[in-house]
Amino acid sequence: MTLELEEIFGQESALDATDRVQSAGTALEELLVSAKKQDYLTVGVYESAKIMNVDPDNVAFCVLATDEEYECDIALQIHFTLIQAFCFDNDINVVRVNDIERLAELVGTEEAGEPKDAHCILVTSPGAESWKDPALDKLHLFCEESRSVYDWVPTITLPER
């Protein structure tokens, strides 16, 4: 069995893409854990919209999450479209995650013990000082590479526990 050059490159690029997505998933998990420790997370669609409206310069990254249960929620999809447009206009990288339960685990619960609304999560960078995190740098690169192949809002899979 001989492989054509195109087949070899196709297999390599498919493996590279899988590695990129897995690496981005690990970086996203690291970023969320680190940002939560430093109180740099805003969790919830409405809370995120407020922050974006008041202080868009301090938003470093945006995560939109959904799952099968919410895919038909028209209001949520409209919010996502508006948030994405706002992020694009303000040069804020955006990714999607399809495991809202896992994301909710990472960002914690409300005081009442209820899971937070993890449909939209912002990583903020307070003040003029830009918060530097290696995971954030990896995710910015991942988003940049994704845009170069016209994937404007790439989907990331979080690592399993």
Side-chain angles (χ1 to χ4, degrees), residues 19-32 60-61 93-95 131-147 154 156:
D19 287 345
R20 277 184 56 242
V21 171
Q22 287 175 342
S23 175
T26 302
L28 179 59
E29 182 176 27
E30 290 170 5
L31 175 65
L32 293 174
F61 200 76
N93 286 315
V94 184
V95 295
W131 178 51
K132 293 294 178 198
D133 186 283
L136 183 59
D137 293 339
K138 286 179 190 174
L139 288 166
H140 284 310
L141 181 61
F142 173 78
C143 289
E144 190 176 306
E145 290 171 352
S146 296
R147 281 192 301 275
I156 292 180

Side-chain angles (χ1 to χ4, degrees), residues 98-158:
N98 289 329
D99 188 350
I100 194 162
E101 288 179 14
R102 177 81 172 90
L103 205 54
E105 281 176 28
L106 288 170
V107 298
T109 58
E110 301 280 345
E111 269 108 56
E114 292 291 314
K116 289 186 178 180
D117 168 21
H119 288 105
C120 183
I121 300 171
L122 298 181
V123 176
T124 56
S125 178
E129 289 181 28
S130 183
W131 178 51
K132 293 294 178 198
D133 186 283
L136 183 59
D137 293 339
K138 286 179 190 174
L139 288 166
H140 284 310
L141 181 61
F142 173 78
C143 289
E144 190 176 306
E145 290 171 352
S146 296
R147 281 192 301 275
S148 73
V149 293
Y150 305 106
D151 186 2
W152 303 109
V153 183
T155 300
I156 292 180
T157 302
L158 291 167

Side-chain angles (χ1 to χ4, degrees), residues 69-98:
E69 181 183 345
Y70 293 99
E71 280 187 6
C72 295
D73 185 334
I74 301 301
L76 184 62
Q77 297 308 319
I78 291 169
H79 287 297
F80 280 3
T81 301
L82 294 171
I83 290 168
Q84 285 172 203
F86 186 88
C87 288
F88 293 153
D89 285 349
N90 289 279
D91 295 321
I92 300 166
N93 286 315
V94 184
V95 295
R96 277 196 182 247
V97 173
N98 289 329

